Amino acid sequence: MKKCLIDAGPLIALFDKDDRYHKAITAFLPGFKERLVTSWAVITETLHMLDFNIQVQLDFLRWIERDALEIPILTKSHITRIIELTTQYADLPMDFADATLLILSDSEHIDCIISIDSDFYVYRNIRKKQLRNIFLDQS
């Protein structure tokens, strides 16, 4: 099954009914057939932004528990690449979660992302390729 990365913004919007992207992401995801991949950093960021309601956080965690996301493990060996990316994109700036997604793009050979973050139009993976932002591009 083909894989696609997902960033925190769409995950937050999926579980926050007041988010401006909530309707768009809830309309987009049911027809999406690729496997969603993210990092623990993205999950942490999402949970932090959903901290307005513990039940919403639990709903998000239960959704993950039902195998909604694939979460590959990053290790200490990835720190060098995170430092490189953070330095390279310091003018944006690149956050830790975004760096982990680019690393997953490299290690999992994923060329697309679901994000509301326009920075992904600037970022390039190790193969010097831009990720296709299939969420923003379809809007």
Side-chain angles (χ1 to χ4, degrees):
M1 175 178 276
K2 191 168 161 111
K3 298 177 181 182
C4 188
L5 298 169
I6 190 163
D7 195 12
L11 293 172
I12 295 161
L14 185 62
F15 287 87
D16 180 357
K17 291 180 171 76
D18 295 327
D19 189 285
R20 68 185 259 207
Y21 292 98
H22 178 74
K23 287 182 183 176
I25 196 68
T26 56
F28 175 83
L29 280 181
F32 189 73
K33 301 302 179 203
E34 296 177 23
R35 184 80 172 125
L36 298 174
V37 178
T38 200
S39 69
W40 284 109
V42 170
I43 290 170
T44 301
E45 185 177 315
T46 302
L47 285 166
H48 174 72
M49 296 305 293
L50 296 175
D51 72 354
F52 60 88
N53 185 312
I54 189 71
Q55 190 56 54
V56 172
Q57 288 179 317
L58 289 170
D59 290 345
F60 174 60
L61 291 170
R62 288 184 181 109
W63 183 71
I64 295 170
E65 184 179 44
R66 292 191 305 270
D67 203 31
L69 298 172
E70 183 175 318
I71 312 163
I73 300 299
L74 297 176
T75 66
K76 184 179 176 188
S77 67
H78 295 105
I79 293 294
T80 301
R81 182 70 176 137
I82 290 169
I83 292 168
E84 289 171 0
L85 289 166
T86 303
T87 303
Q88 180 179 352
Y89 296 107
D91 59 323
L92 291 178
M94 172 179 270
D95 69 21
F96 179 70
D98 289 351
T100 65
L101 290 173
L102 276 181
I103 288 169
L104 290 178
S105 166
D106 297 339
S107 66
E108 300 290 316
H109 305 285
I110 299 172
D111 66 355
C112 64
I113 191 163
I114 299 168
S115 180
I116 60 172
D117 187 350
S118 62
D119 291 345
F120 282 99
Y121 290 116
V122 177
Y123 300 153
R124 298 292 185 266
N125 63 22
I126 203 161
R127 296 175 303 281
K128 308 283 189 241
K129 301 277 186 184
Q130 172 187 342
L131 297 176
R132 288 181 303 113
N133 190 339
I134 60 175
F135 183 64
L136 283 185
D137 290 349
Q138 62 90 36
S139 299

